């Protein structure tokens, strides 16, 4: 117990690894044993992570990173086994352990071959994802970033659908290219700083002293790895194939957690690496905001054309995650808080939608929308859960999706109302394709005899879906605990990357009530706080009239 109290992150991180090692000694023929041990260690991983929630201190005097562990690893190059989490990491770690347990449970009857290898790889994937969110050393972070690539490649390539090898290779190559470019950025940061350490806070702090050219190159070096992982438009083409061909559990964990590694990287590394030069920073932020808006609309439009349910939900992730990057690069507290909450929401709602598709696929072995219709009659409980997941994903008030999208739009409005005007079209289109999908699958007459007697949800399927339904309502009705956890880290990030924001906020408060103080037109909006922006441009800046 003493070891657990002082090394809680290590215990959470390596519990799945212990499960994978135990499975090595289980005979290959004992498939039931593989399932029991895999699910047991996934559940234990969730249980040992729960104390993080009530032990995490919200005290203003608490350190930025908590539960820190630090030990020499490779002293000759300055690499350390360094772990720690802040509020952002905490939420993503909890999402990972929850969806990991749910995903593995959903695999119970779906995986019928090579069960031993499947559960070993899934548990190793869990270790890699947790390590990314906990690492405070660049060398350690990169190791975990690469570790998760191999298990996911095999999960798609071995247990996927008909075009699984194509999808697995495409996923591997895209991710590897981004990772190699990021490695060059890490090495450049390491040698340019000259501190002989891979400590993240130290290297990121030193980057602010570099010349503008170096800062720009470093930003784009990290950008490619994170943009591919999110994935941002136009780096998204690997995602629909990977989602469509992956097994159900692979799709859930890919959408729920792996994509968040990209948005987490943008928050943790890309924002501190933004150039200090006003013109260079303005150009980069504008590019990121425009790409986000394009991704929102493009992903939603492509969803309207899909005939495969899984591919439709996959493209919806392109649109939903673009909302998250929009909030991140608004550089406002509301934008950042909303982005992180929307990342959690996306894992919940999209994870539930992929589980729902998996339920139908196990019964009918097809994902074509045209093969279904009228399922609400034989599967009323399924229809109710599916409706909740759909409404959650499209952002209905009182469900989790609404909170994240609303706060992101609120934070982006402080930057420029035009970005918000374009982004809300994605919400409208999202409601269209999700409700249209539900109508085609669940309503109308049963035209296919194969659908007449489909069994409703069983106990195991209830166990995978019910926690996500409860979380969707809880976050939608009472999101205050999440905002409290995020308040300090978000404020620290904004103070670092947009230092004039809070000063501008205070200065604008007295004049906000005066109509005469509002800008005459959008071109007259002020530049980003603390910077001088050219007049007439769509500057990423708080609008004084919105305060």
């Amino acid at each position: 117990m003493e070891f657990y109290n002082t090394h809680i992150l290590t215990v959470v991180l390596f519990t799945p690894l212990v499960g994978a090692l135990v499975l090595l000694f289980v005979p290959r023929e004992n498939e039931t044993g593989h399932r029991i041990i895999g699910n047991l260690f996934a559940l234990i991983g969730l249980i040992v992570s729960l104390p993080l929630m009530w032990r995490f201190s919200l005290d203003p005097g608490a350190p930025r990173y908590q539960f820190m562990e630090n030990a020499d690893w490779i002293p000759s190059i300055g690499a350390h086994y360094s772990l720690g989490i802040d509020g952002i990491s905490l939420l993503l770690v909890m999402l990972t352990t929850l969806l990991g347990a749910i995903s593995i449970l959903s695999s119970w009857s779906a995986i019928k071959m090579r069960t031993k290898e499947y559960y070993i790889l899934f548990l190793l994937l869990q270790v890699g994802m947790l390590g990314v969110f906990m690492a405070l050393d660049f060398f350690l972070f990169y190791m975990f970033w690469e570790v998760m690539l191999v298990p996911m490649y095999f999960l798609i390539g071995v247990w996927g659908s008909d075009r699984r090898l194509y999808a697995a290779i495409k996923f591997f190559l895209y991710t590897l290219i981004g990772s190699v470019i990021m490695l060059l950025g890490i090495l450049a940061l390491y040698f340019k700083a000259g501190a002989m350490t891979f400590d993240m806070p130290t290297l990121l702090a030193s980057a602010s002293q570099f010349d503008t050219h170096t800062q720009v190159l470093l930003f784009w070096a990290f950008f490619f790895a994170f943009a591919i992982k999110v994935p941002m438009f136009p780096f998204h083409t690997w995602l629909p194939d990977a989602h469509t061909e992956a097994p159900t559990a692979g799709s859930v964990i890919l959408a729920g957690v792996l994509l968040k590694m990209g948005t987490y990287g943008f928050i943790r590394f890309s924002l501190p690496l933004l150039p200090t030069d006003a013109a260079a920073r303005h150009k980069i932020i504008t590019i990121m905001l425009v790409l986000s808006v394009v991704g929102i609309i493009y992903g939603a439009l492509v969803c309207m054309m899909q005939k495969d349910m899984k591919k439709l939900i996959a493209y919806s992730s392109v649109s939903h995650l673009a909302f998250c990057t929009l909030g991140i690069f608004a550089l406002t507290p509301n934008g950042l808080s909303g982005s992180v909450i929307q990342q959690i929401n996306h894992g919940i709602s999209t994870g539930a939608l992929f589980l729902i598709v998996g339920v139908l696929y196990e019964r009918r072995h097809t994902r074509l929308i045209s093969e279904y219709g009228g399922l609400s009659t034989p599967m009323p409980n399924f229809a109710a859960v599916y409706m909740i997941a759909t409404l959650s994903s499209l952002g209905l008030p009182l469900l989790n999706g609404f909170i994240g999208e609303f706060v992101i739009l609120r934070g982006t409005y402080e930057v420029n109302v035009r970005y918000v005007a374009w982004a809300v079209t994605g919400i409208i289109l999202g409601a269209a394709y999700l409700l249209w999908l539900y109508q085609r699958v669940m309503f109308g007459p049963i035209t296919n005899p194969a659908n007449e007697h489909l069994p409703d949800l069983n106990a195991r399927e209830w166990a995978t879906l019910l926690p996500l339904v409860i979380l969707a309502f809880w976050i939608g009705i009472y999101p205050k605990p999440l905002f409290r956890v995020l308040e300090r880290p978000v404020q620290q990030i904004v103070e670092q990357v947009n230092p004039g924001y809070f000063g501008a906020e205070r200065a604008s408060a007295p004049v906000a009530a005066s109509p005469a103080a509002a800008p005459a037109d959008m071109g007259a909006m002020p530049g980003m706080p603390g910077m001088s922006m050219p007049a007439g441009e769509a500057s990423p800046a708080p609008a004084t009239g919105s305060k």
Side-chain angles (χ1 to χ4, degrees):
M1 182 58 69
E2 180 62 28
F3 180 85
Y4 174 73
N5 289 332
T6 56
H7 299 83
I8 184 170
L9 292 185
T10 294
V11 173
V12 174
L13 175 60
F14 290 114
T15 294
L17 179 61
V18 173
L21 294 175
V22 170
L23 281 169
L24 289 175
F25 299 98
V26 179
R28 183 181 298 275
E29 299 77 19
N30 188 2
E31 294 185 357
T32 301
H34 303 153
R35 295 186 177 98
I36 292 173
I37 293 172
N39 280 275
L40 177 63
F41 275 91
L43 181 60
I44 293 173
L46 172 61
I47 293 172
V48 298
S49 68
L50 292 177
L52 291 174
M53 293 192 296
W54 54 79
R55 292 188 184 184
F56 189 85
S57 175
L58 300 177
D59 190 328
R64 177 172 183 177
Y65 296 105
Q66 300 183 33
F67 312 110
M68 289 189 64
E69 302 177 33
N70 201 322
D72 284 341
W73 183 22
I74 312 177
S76 59
I77 62 173
H80 291 77
Y81 174 76
S82 180
L83 304 178
I85 60 173
D86 62 0
I88 297 170
S89 306
L90 172 66
L91 295 181
L92 291 171
V93 166
M94 297 309 303
L95 179 69
T96 303
T97 57
L98 173 65
L99 288 183
I102 289 175
S103 300
I104 289 181
L105 180 58
S106 72
S107 307
W108 187 279
S109 59
I111 303 302
K112 303 182 185 299
M113 67 170 190
R114 298 182 179 271
T115 55
K116 179 176 181 175
E117 291 86 348
Y118 175 85
Y119 286 103
I120 288 174
L121 288 170
F122 215 105
L123 291 170
L124 290 177
L125 177 64
Q126 189 84 342
V127 176
M129 296 184 298
L130 289 170
V132 165
F133 299 133
M134 294 180 182
L136 291 180
D137 181 276
F138 267 116
F139 192 90
L140 186 66
F141 166 82
Y142 188 78
M143 186 193 74
F144 284 123
W145 183 276
E146 291 295 274
V147 160
M148 72 85 214
L149 179 61
V150 176
M152 196 68 219
Y153 169 79
F154 283 109
L155 287 172
I156 298 172
V158 176
W159 292 275
S161 301
D162 297 338
R163 300 176 70 244
R164 56 185 178 272
L165 290 179
Y166 167 78
I169 292 172
K170 192 173 183 180
F171 162 77
F172 191 93
L173 290 178
Y174 264 74
T175 308
L176 184 63
I177 291 171
S179 299
V180 169
I181 298 174
M182 180 174 67
L183 177 61
L184 294 176
I186 292 173
L187 292 175
L189 187 58
Y190 172 79
F191 286 109
K192 184 73 174 178
M196 289 303 294
T197 179
F198 283 98
D199 179 65
M200 286 181 183
T202 301
L203 292 183
L204 292 175
S206 66
S208 62
Q209 308 301 319
F210 298 166
D211 61 272
T212 300
H213 180 69
T214 301
Q215 290 175 337
V216 170
L217 290 178
L218 284 173
F219 177 89
W220 290 118
F222 281 85
F223 162 83
F224 285 104
F226 304 144
I228 290 172
K229 186 71 73 179
V230 169
M232 287 187 75
F233 175 89
F235 307 101
H236 64 283
T237 58
W238 66 268
L239 181 68
D241 293 308
H243 268 315
T244 304
E245 304 305 322
T248 297
S251 296
V252 172
I253 210 69
L254 180 61
V257 181
L258 259 72
L259 305 187
K260 310 310 182 300
M261 291 165 57
T263 49
Y264 175 78
F266 277 134
I267 294 172
R268 184 69 74 218
F269 308 121
S270 295
L271 292 187
L273 289 173
L274 281 170
T276 52
D277 177 73
R281 172 181 286 229
H282 178 231
K283 183 178 180 180
I284 287 175
I285 292 174
T286 301
I287 291 172
M288 300 303 294
L289 292 175
V290 169
L291 286 178
S292 298
V293 170
V294 171
I296 290 170
I297 299 172
Y298 168 82
L301 287 174
V302 175
C303 283
M304 304 286 289
M305 308 301 297
Q306 300 307 310
K307 300 179 180 180
D308 184 302
M309 284 189 286
K310 217 173 181 184
K311 186 165 284 190
L312 185 151
I313 299 169
Y315 273 111
S316 75
S317 293
V318 176
S319 183
H320 289 152
L321 269 296
F323 266 104
C324 296
T325 55
L326 183 71
I328 290 170
F329 287 95
L331 301 187
T332 60
N334 282 319
L336 272 172
S337 297
S339 174
V340 178
I341 291 174
Q342 189 63 6
Q343 291 170 45
I344 306 300
N345 294 338
H346 177 264
I348 293 169
S349 57
T350 305
L353 288 173
F354 276 120
L355 288 172
I356 284 165
V357 175
V359 168
L360 293 179
Y361 187 77
E362 281 195 47
R363 287 158 171 73
R364 286 289 323 279
H365 301 289
T366 179
R367 296 184 298 265
L368 291 177
I369 301 171
S370 59
E371 287 291 316
Y372 297 99
L375 294 187
S376 59
T377 300
M379 306 175 71
N381 293 330
F382 175 84
V385 174
Y386 185 8
M387 175 56 79
I388 293 170
T390 297
L391 297 177
S392 166
S393 185
L394 64 84
L396 185 76
L398 298 184
L399 287 168
N400 58 335
F402 172 77
I403 297 299
E405 289 178 350
F406 179 84
V407 179
I408 287 173
L409 294 175
R410 169 67 177 84
T412 308
Y413 187 89
E414 300 175 43
V415 174
N416 193 318
V417 69
R418 282 175 285 188
Y419 293 121
V420 177
W422 283 105
V424 293
T425 62
I427 298 177
I428 298 169
L429 292 171
Y433 66 71
L434 286 168
L435 292 176
W436 189 32
L437 173 64
Y438 187 87
Q439 181 268 326
R440 287 181 288 172
V441 173
M442 304 308 299
F443 294 150
I446 300 177
T447 56
N448 190 332
N451 297 328
E452 290 181 354
H453 304 290
L454 292 181
D456 210 340
L457 296 174
N458 58 38
R460 178 182 56 81
E461 290 163 348
W462 271 115
T464 60
L465 289 166
L466 194 57
L468 300 179
V469 170
I470 293 172
L471 283 172
F473 278 107
W474 174 58
I475 296 175
I477 295 171
Y478 188 65
K480 180 180 177 180
L482 277 68
F483 283 100
R484 288 191 64 204
V485 168
L486 292 172
E487 183 178 1
R488 286 186 62 235
V490 164
Q491 181 176 344
Q492 290 165 341
I493 292 172
V494 173
E495 287 176 345
Q496 179 185 3
V497 303
N498 192 1
Y501 175 85
F502 292 104
E505 184 180 48
R506 288 189 293 269
S508 66
V511 300
S514 173
D521 57 78
M522 291 307 300
M525 293 175 68
M528 179 174 293
M531 298 185 182
S532 175
M533 293 297 179
E537 293 189 33
S539 306
T544 57
S546 68
K547 290 292 178 186

